[in-house]
Amino acid sequence: MLHEMGYETVIEGIENQHAMQTVSDIGCQGVQGFYLSKPLSVSQLADKAMDIQKN
């Protein structure tokens, strides 16, 4: 419903593959949680972004 109104949704607290699959099945646009990454400092995030760009 929110997507139809022009909103993007982010679901927090994704901690395992089952939760990730459930979120994917309902069509959520964004996720956040330990399953994807532990909390990072700004410098760690910058390093990770650089690694992703290299690959």
Side-chain angles (χ1 to χ4, degrees), residues 4-18:
E4 293 170 3
M5 296 172 63
Y7 291 96
E8 288 188 24
T9 55
V10 176
I11 295 181
E12 298 180 352
I14 304 302
E15 296 184 6
N16 56 50
Q17 176 60 36
H18 177 72

Side-chain angles (χ1 to χ4, degrees), residues 4-41:
E4 293 170 3
M5 296 172 63
Y7 291 96
E8 288 188 24
T9 55
V10 176
I11 295 181
E12 298 180 352
I14 304 302
E15 296 184 6
N16 56 50
Q17 176 60 36
H18 177 72
M20 187 71 178
Q21 186 62 51
T22 300
V23 168
S24 177
D25 291 346
I26 64 172
C28 182
Q29 292 86 11
V31 296
Q32 176 181 331
F34 283 109
Y35 180 69
L36 302 170
S37 176
K38 64 178 183 155
L40 303 173
S41 69

